[in-house]
Amino acid sequence: MGFSIKVSLLAASSALALVTAPAAAQMNQPGSAPARGPDAPKSATQPSVDQQGDAAIIPDAEFNSALPPISDDINAPLEPMPLDTAPATASVSKPAATTSQTIAPVAQSAAQQPIVPGALATPASIDPQLAQPLEPLSTFNTEPLQTVADVKGGNAPEIAYDTVVRGLDPLNLTDEFNSLSALKEGKGKAANATQVSARAREDEGLAVRLMKSLGYYDSTAISTLEQPAAAGNKLRAIVSATPGKIYTLGSIQVQTGPTMPTGLVQRELPLKVGDPIEAARIQGAEANVSLKLPQQGYPFVKVGQRDILLDDATWKGAYTLPVDTGPRSSFGVLRTEGDPVLSVDHLNVFPRFDQGQLYDIRLTDDLRQALVATGLFSNVSVEPVRTGQPGPDGTEQVDLLVRQTKGPFRSLSGSAGYGTGEGVKVEAAFTHRNLFPPEGALIVTGVGGTQQQGASVTFRRQNAGKRDRTVSLLGSVLRQDYDAFNAVTATIAGRISYDSTPIWQKPLTYAFGFELVGTNEQSYDFQAGGRRRRNYGIAALPGQVLFDRSNDLLNPTKGYRLKLNVSPETAVSGGVRPYARTMVEATGYYPVNDSLVIAGRARAGSIFGIERDDLAPSRRYYGGGGGSVRGYGYQRLGPLDPEGNPVGGRSLNEFAIEARYRFGDFGIVPFFDAGNAYEGTFPTAKNLRYGAGIGGRFYTNFGPMRVDVATPLNPREGDGKIALYISIGQAF
C-alpha cells in the first residue's frame, strides 16, 4: 500500500509539471469543464470509455512473450533482474482541438530519464552485489546467530551474585527455602543479570508457596537486584517475604456415615478449631484417618477431597472433609492365586488372628512380612476382599487374598572372621529353601580355617505346624586343632525351636533336642604326664529358654535378656558317666541418650556329676576370645597344663561392660571384660582376669560389623599383649 501511494505521488508530480498552463486556464473559466461520469452526455468528439478508459495498455500476447522462462529446478539460483539503461523519451499528447480537456500524461518510471530536465535527480548506480544471483535455498544457513546467553562451557561469561532472603527466619522456613531455591541451585553464578532476575522471580513464587503452607494465605514476596557498589563486589539478589496474617480453622465439618464407636472419624482426625491452616498439619491429620481406621475394623476407608473456604475478613477457614468409611469388617478366610508355592493349609500357619476377629491392618501386614521372610517369593501381596457375608457384632466378613509369585529357591552364602587364638575362619553354605515342600530346606555347609575344617548337611523345616517353629536334623564332621585340644568329631543332632525373628520378637522362646557325638580327642593327661588321644561317645538332650525384654533382636538399645541352658549328657569312655552342663546368662541395655548405650553382661556356668579329666575336652568350659573375655586368646583362660596350654574346667564366670557410642552408620565402643574358668564345679571370684580395649562398628541392615582390639590387664606368662577380633554382630 505504501509503495503504491509513493508511485502515485511521483506520477502526479510529473503530470502537474506538464499541465500547469492548461489547468490554470480552465480554472479561470468556471462552469466550462466538461461533464464526467456515466450519466454525462456523449459528444461525437469525446472518446468513449471502451475506446480510451478500458483500452489495454499492453496486449496479452506481448505481455506473455516478455515473461522469462520458468525453470523446473527450484534450487537453482535466481537470475539477476534486467536493468533498462536505455534512455526513454517521453511524449506528451497534445490536447484535442475540439475540446478544452487536457489529458494528463502517463507516469514515468523512476529508471527513465526525467521528462523535464532537472526535475528529478539522476538515479544512483546499482550495487554490484545486489545484481548477483541469490544462493539456492538448500544451501542457506538457518542456524541462528549465537548470543551471550547461548554460550556454554568454560568460555561462557559469568557474573557472581549473593542470595539474601528476608522475612522467612521467623517462620523457620529459611532452610527449606534454601533447599528448593533456584538462586541457591545456581551456586552464585549466572550468565547475565537477566538470568539472575529470572531465578529471583521463580523464588518469589517459592517463598509465597512456603508461607501459604503454614497458613499465611495473604503472603507476598518481591525480589530485587542490587548492583555492586564497588568494582569486584558481587551482585545481590534479594528475596523479601511478607507473611501477613495467619489463617486458622474457624469450623471443622466431617461428612461421614455412622461408625462404631460413634465419632470414630472425628476422634482420629487430630484437628481443632483455632489451629493454623498448615498444609502439613492438615495432610497429616487426614493421613491419620487413613491409618487408624483400618486398624479398628474399616479396611476400605476412603478420605475424600477436602474443601477449605477462606474468609479474608476474619482470617478463618471453614474446613470440610468427606470420608467414606466402608463397612465395619472382621477377618474371614485366606484365599490364594498365582504360583502355588504354598498351599492354603500351610498359609493358615502364618496368621496371628482368628476368623471373626475385628479387622486390623497391622495383622494383615504382619502376615505379608512373615511370607516375605520365608525367602520363597519374588513378590507376594495380601489384600482384603469383600464377601458380603455377615460377621460377628454386625460386621462384614472380609477374606484375605494372597497373591504368590515364585522366587529363586537356591542361594549361596558365606561369612568370615578372625580371632586371636582362633585364627581365620571362613564358612560357605548352599541352601535349597523348598526342596521338601512346604519350606523343607536342604543346607550344605563347609567350614575352612587355620584351626578348624569341616562340613555339615542340615534338613530344616520352618514354620512346622506353627509359625516360627523350626525342626532341624544335622549331620556334621569337624576337625579342630587348638592349644587346648585336637579333635575329630562326628555329630548327628536334632532340634525343635520356637524362635524370635526381626518381624516378631517374642518375649519367651525355647529350644530342645538331642545330640549323638563320636569324637577322638587329644589333650594333656595329668595321670600319664603327657598328651594322649582318647575316644568319647556322648549322648545329650540340650535345652534352652530365653526371656527377652529388649527392644531389638540384632542391635538392642534398651531392655534386658535372661537365658538358661541345661544339657543332661552321658559320656562313654571306659565307662558310662552321666553329668549335666548348665549355663545362665543375663544381659542389659541402658540408653543414656540417642547416641550412647551402656550394655552389660554376666554369665556363669557349671558342670555337675563328672570329674574334669573324665570329661571330653571339647565339652569343658573355657574362657577368653571375642565372645568371652577380650584381650586373651581363644580358650586361653582357665587352668593350664605343664606345657602352658589350657585344659579347661567345670565352671566359668564372665563379666563385661560396653559404652556403645553411635554416629550415623559408625560407632566406637570402649569396653572392659573380666572372667575366668575354674577346675571346680562352681565358679569363684578369685583369680579373675581383666581385659580392656576399644572397638569399631559399622552398622548395616543385617547387623553391625565388629572390629575389637583389646589387651590383657593382668596377663600370665604366654598371653599376648594385643588381641584382635573381627566378626558380625555385637559381642552380646
Side-chain angles (χ1 to χ4, degrees):
M1 180 67 71
F3 181 78
S4 300
I5 293 175
K6 182 177 181 180
V7 171
S8 300
L9 292 176
L10 181 60
S13 300
S14 300
L16 183 61
L18 296 176
V19 298
T20 301
Q26 289 183 359
M27 292 178 64
N28 293 329
Q29 299 178 5
S32 63
R36 302 289 185 179
D39 296 330
K42 303 288 191 297
S43 64
T45 60
Q46 183 179 356
S48 66
V49 174
D50 292 336
Q51 295 175 348
Q52 179 177 349
D54 290 342
I57 300 175
I58 301 176
D60 290 343
E62 182 180 352
F63 176 79
N64 292 333
S65 63
L67 293 175
I70 299 176
S71 173
D72 293 334
D73 185 5
I74 63 173
N75 293 322
L78 299 177
E79 297 178 356
M81 297 181 62
L83 299 177
D84 187 7
T85 57
T89 56
S91 59
V92 180
S93 300
K94 296 181 180 180
T98 58
T99 178
S100 61
Q101 180 183 5
T102 302
I103 301 176
V106 179
Q108 301 298 312
S109 168
Q112 294 175 323
Q113 293 293 332
I115 298 175
V116 179
L120 294 176
T122 303
S125 59
I126 303 301
D127 189 343
Q129 292 185 357
L130 297 179
Q132 297 298 320
L134 299 176
E135 61 179 296
L137 292 176
S138 60
T139 63
F140 186 73
N141 183 12
T142 60
E143 182 178 354
L145 295 176
Q146 190 179 56
T147 64
V148 173
D150 297 327
V151 178
K152 306 294 182 184
N155 295 327
E158 288 184 344
I159 64 172
Y161 64 88
D162 288 326
T163 303
V164 179
V165 183
R166 297 172 180 170
L168 296 182
D169 268 345
L171 307 180
N172 296 320
L173 290 175
T174 302
D175 290 341
E176 187 173 359
F177 176 88
N178 290 336
S179 66
L180 302 173
S181 167
L183 287 168
K184 291 290 186 179
E185 186 179 359
K187 298 180 180 180
K189 295 181 180 180
N192 46 53
T194 302
Q195 191 176 61
V196 179
S197 179
R199 294 173 183 174
R201 287 193 299 272
E202 185 175 343
D203 281 356
E204 289 178 7
L206 171 63
V208 170
R209 290 194 302 273
L210 291 177
M211 289 185 288
K212 285 185 176 180
S213 71
L214 296 184
Y216 296 93
Y217 288 92
D218 291 337
S219 59
T220 60
I222 188 171
S223 62
T224 57
L225 299 184
E226 285 188 358
Q227 297 295 333
N233 292 341
K234 295 181 179 180
L235 181 71
R236 297 183 71 198
I238 303 173
V239 178
S240 301
T242 304
K245 184 74 174 180
I246 191 170
Y247 281 69
T248 59
L249 292 173
S251 63
I252 299 175
Q253 181 181 3
V254 179
Q255 299 173 346
T256 187
T259 59
M260 181 68 68
T262 304
L264 177 62
V265 178
Q266 290 84 348
R267 186 184 73 189
E268 300 299 344
L269 183 71
L271 294 175
K272 62 181 182 297
V273 173
D275 286 344
I277 307 179
E278 299 179 13
R281 181 192 295 265
I282 300 295
Q283 293 170 354
E286 295 169 358
N288 191 69
V289 173
S290 299
L291 174 67
K292 293 291 186 165
L293 262 66
Q295 297 176 2
Q296 302 175 66
Y298 293 92
F300 306 107
V301 61
K302 295 180 180 179
V303 177
Q305 180 63 44
R306 79 188 73 87
D307 180 69
I308 303 178
L309 181 61
L310 299 178
D311 185 353
D312 56 4
T314 61
W315 299 292
K316 294 184 181 298
Y319 174 82
T320 303
L321 180 68
V323 177
D324 180 7
T325 62
R328 188 167 182 258
S329 307
S330 58
F331 284 111
V333 299
L334 298 184
R335 307 180 190 176
T336 185
E337 65 179 33
D339 299 331
V341 179
L342 299 177
S343 66
V344 173
D345 289 340
H346 190 67
L347 288 174
N348 281 315
V349 170
F350 294 91
R352 296 170 60 190
F353 53 82
D354 299 322
Q355 185 175 353
Q357 181 178 338
L358 187 66
Y359 183 89
D360 189 336
I361 194 173
R362 291 170 294 186
L363 297 176
T364 302
D365 292 340
D366 174 78
L367 171 59
R368 185 188 64 82
Q369 291 173 357
L371 294 174
V372 171
T374 65
L376 300 178
F377 304 97
S378 63
N379 185 42
V380 62
S381 64
V382 181
E383 58 186 67
V385 178
R386 293 188 62 175
T387 65
Q389 300 178 5
D393 301 326
T395 61
E396 178 183 323
Q397 177 178 305
V398 296
D399 294 344
L400 296 183
L401 177 61
V402 180
R403 290 191 173 93
Q404 307 180 59
T405 303
K406 177 183 175 181
F409 292 161
R410 300 172 180 84
S411 64
L412 291 172
S413 61
S415 63
Y418 173 82
T420 300
E422 191 176 5
V424 177
K425 179 182 176 181
V426 179
E427 185 173 351
F430 166 78
T431 302
H432 191 301
R433 286 181 289 275
N434 204 38
L435 184 61
F436 310 102
E439 294 193 80
L442 179 68
I443 306 169
V444 179
T445 303
V447 178
T450 56
Q451 293 174 266
Q452 61 175 310
Q453 306 85 36
S456 66
V457 177
T458 303
F459 166 78
R460 181 189 68 199
R461 186 178 297 281
Q462 296 185 136
N463 303 298
K466 182 179 181 179
R467 178 171 167 178
D468 295 334
R469 181 165 63 190
T470 303
V471 176
S472 59
L473 293 174
L474 167 72
S476 68
V477 176
L478 182 64
R479 178 184 180 275
Q480 298 170 291
D481 186 9
Y482 298 111
D483 294 340
F485 62 87
N486 178 282
V488 178
T489 304
T491 303
I492 296 176
R495 189 172 187 262
I496 298 175
S497 62
Y498 181 60
D499 303 315
S500 283
T501 67
I503 299 173
W504 184 13
Q505 185 176 350
K506 306 167 187 63
L508 183 65
T509 59
Y510 60 83
F512 59 89
F514 73 91
E515 286 183 280
L516 298 175
V517 181
T519 178
N520 177 270
E521 302 187 8
Q522 182 188 57
S523 63
Y524 191 87
D525 188 338
F526 285 89
Q527 292 181 352
R531 301 180 73 87
R532 75 174 180 135
R533 187 172 292 276
R534 296 173 61 182
N535 294 323
Y536 298 87
I538 302 168
L541 297 174
Q544 174 184 292
V545 177
L546 173 63
F547 183 70
D548 188 355
R549 302 301 295 178
S550 65
N551 67 329
D552 189 89
L553 187 65
L554 300 177
N555 185 35
T557 57
K558 65 179 179 179
Y560 62 91
R561 296 171 180 170
L562 299 174
K563 183 168 66 174
L564 173 64
N565 285 40
V566 177
S567 179
E569 301 181 5
T570 297
V572 179
S573 180
V576 178
R577 295 176 176 85
Y579 62 94
R581 302 173 77 240
T582 63
M583 179 76 73
V584 61
E585 179 177 338
T587 55
Y589 313 92
Y590 176 75
V592 178
N593 52 44
D594 292 339
S595 301
L596 180 62
V597 175
I598 303 298
R601 178 188 65 181
R603 180 164 63 178
S606 294
I607 301 175
F608 303 92
I610 193 172
E611 295 296 325
R612 183 194 66 183
D613 292 344
D614 293 331
L615 189 63
S618 61
R619 312 297 285 189
R620 301 172 188 173
Y621 284 142
Y622 300 87
S628 178
V629 181
R630 288 163 287 186
Y632 297 87
Y634 180 67
Q635 298 181 338
R636 287 292 304 174
L637 290 185
L640 301 178
D641 63 24
E643 298 174 356
N645 295 317
V647 295
R650 290 182 294 170
S651 61
L652 172 77
N653 58 8
E654 294 175 352
F655 310 92
I657 188 169
E658 294 185 343
R660 299 174 180 174
Y661 180 75
R662 179 172 178 174
F663 47 96
D665 291 333
F666 299 92
I668 296 177
V669 181
F671 55 84
F672 175 81
D673 297 343
N676 209 340
Y678 305 90
E679 182 179 351
T681 300
F682 297 100
T684 68
K686 298 179 181 180
N687 300 320
L688 288 177
R689 298 295 167 179
Y690 306 101
I694 192 168
R697 302 290 185 269
F698 174 64
Y699 293 91
T700 67
N701 57 357
F702 56 85
M705 300 286 294
R706 175 166 64 101
V707 178
D708 289 339
V709 179
T711 184
L713 300 182
N714 55 340
R716 300 168 303 180
E717 185 178 354
D719 290 330
K721 295 182 178 181
I722 296 294
L724 174 66
Y725 313 96
I726 303 173
S727 64
I728 298 175
Q730 298 284 10
F732 53 89

